[in-house]
Amino acid sequence: MTIALSLGIFFVAGLAGGLLLGLIGVGMALITVPLLIMALPMFGFDPEHAPLVALATSMAVVSVGSVSSVFSHNKLGNVDWSIVRIVVPASLIGVGLGSLSIDLFSGTLLKWLFCIFLSIIAVRMLLPTKKKTANDAIDTTAPWVYRSAGGLIGIAGSLIGAGGGVFMVPFLNRIGHAMPRAVATSTTIGLPVTVFAAIVHASQSSPPGDSAMLGHIYLPAFIGLGLGSVLTAPLGARFSSRVPAELLKRVFAWLLIALVVKLALSA
């Protein structure tokens, strides 16, 4: 496969992932990780190394797509900056620990951890939730709860190649934040987290395979997916305020279920 063709494929995937990122606060990991796990062996990578490269590249791509998405969400007034300030330091610590320890996990284990995490989140999103208002969440949730969740989500996010939106969005929504606000706040939290994780991965030794590597990051995929996501993430952010919250939750959950099935069948 030529470099031009691979860049084109990754660019198209980035368009889809960016739209999901802006719309539901997660999307690039849903597109990037399984695509790369399945595609990297065609570029000469050992299948055992493919999940690590996929996770690292996903982190780098999500950081690019998140920039335009955060700007769009902020213009719409949906970002809760008080939560961002509380959660980001804990998430940075968590994602740093996770990124530095990821080499201890086998490729097969990383893939199944990805499937298990997404299955749990999908089921929780489909279950009926107790109605709360945004004020309920702000008034009754202690800062240490946000910090603890941010740290744990940072570790988990580093193991699935995401900024943690796959966990942070349902967490915020579960404790009472409206879905558009949960998406916007989670995306904003994820921006510095993914940038930091991408730097950590870029500083590591490259695994055997294609020479177009920066640490654990596969550069052709990073460029193609990153460019595509930048173009469509703002569009998704604008749509997120117009789509009913319950519909967003169900779309989110069923996308996760479809991804789990796809990965399981490719095992």
Side-chain angles (χ1 to χ4, degrees), residues 25-254:
V26 65
M28 290 312 304
L30 300 181
I31 299 294
T32 303
V33 175
L35 174 68
L36 289 177
I37 287 176
M38 292 182 285
L40 285 174
M42 295 188 292
F43 293 91
F45 287 89
D46 186 327
E48 182 63 21
H49 293 133
L52 170 61
V53 176
L55 297 173
T57 304
S58 174
M59 273 292 192
V61 173
V62 171
S63 67
V64 173
S66 294
V67 174
S68 56
S69 183
V70 167
F71 276 113
S72 298
H73 281 302
N74 188 51
K75 285 181 66 176
L76 294 168
N78 287 334
V79 179
D80 191 326
W81 288 100
S82 64
I83 294 176
V84 173
R85 287 190 290 271
I86 291 173
V87 174
V88 164
S91 290
L92 288 173
I93 293 172
V95 79
L97 292 173
S99 298
L100 289 173
S101 63
I102 198 169
D103 282 320
L104 302 176
F105 296 83
S106 70
T108 301
L109 179 58
L110 284 173
K111 182 166 66 173
W112 283 109
L113 281 175
F114 188 72
C115 290
I116 292 169
F117 284 147
L118 296 191
S119 298
I120 293 171
I121 295 303
V123 170
R124 289 182 64 86
M125 291 294 284
L126 289 172
L127 292 175
T129 57
K130 180 182 176 182
K131 295 290 184 179
K132 291 185 179 181
T133 65
N135 286 334
D136 288 335
I138 294 171
D139 292 341
T140 63
T141 305
W144 71 266
V145 175
Y146 285 111
R147 292 191 183 99
S148 298
L152 292 173
I153 288 170
I155 293 174
S158 67
L159 297 180
I160 65 166
V166 68
F167 303 108
M168 185 60 71
V169 171
F171 166 71
L172 293 175
N173 182 247
R174 192 82 177 178
I175 62 175
H177 294 274
M179 193 64 176
R181 197 162 183 81
V183 169
T185 304
S186 171
T187 304
T188 305
I189 291 169
L191 177 56
V193 170
T194 51
V195 169
F196 176 66
I199 292 172
V200 172
H201 281 298
S203 66
Q204 304 300 304
S205 299
S206 300
D210 196 289
S211 60
M213 297 286 295
L214 179 62
H216 294 160
I217 299 170
Y218 184 47
L219 292 177
F222 169 67
I223 294 169
L225 289 161
L227 287 175
S229 67
V230 166
L231 293 177
T232 54
L235 182 61
R238 287 195 292 271
F239 284 156
S240 69
S241 295
R242 302 174 186 176
V243 180
E246 285 302 313
L247 177 59
L248 275 181
K249 288 175 62 177
R250 292 189 177 278
V251 169
F252 186 98
W254 285 111

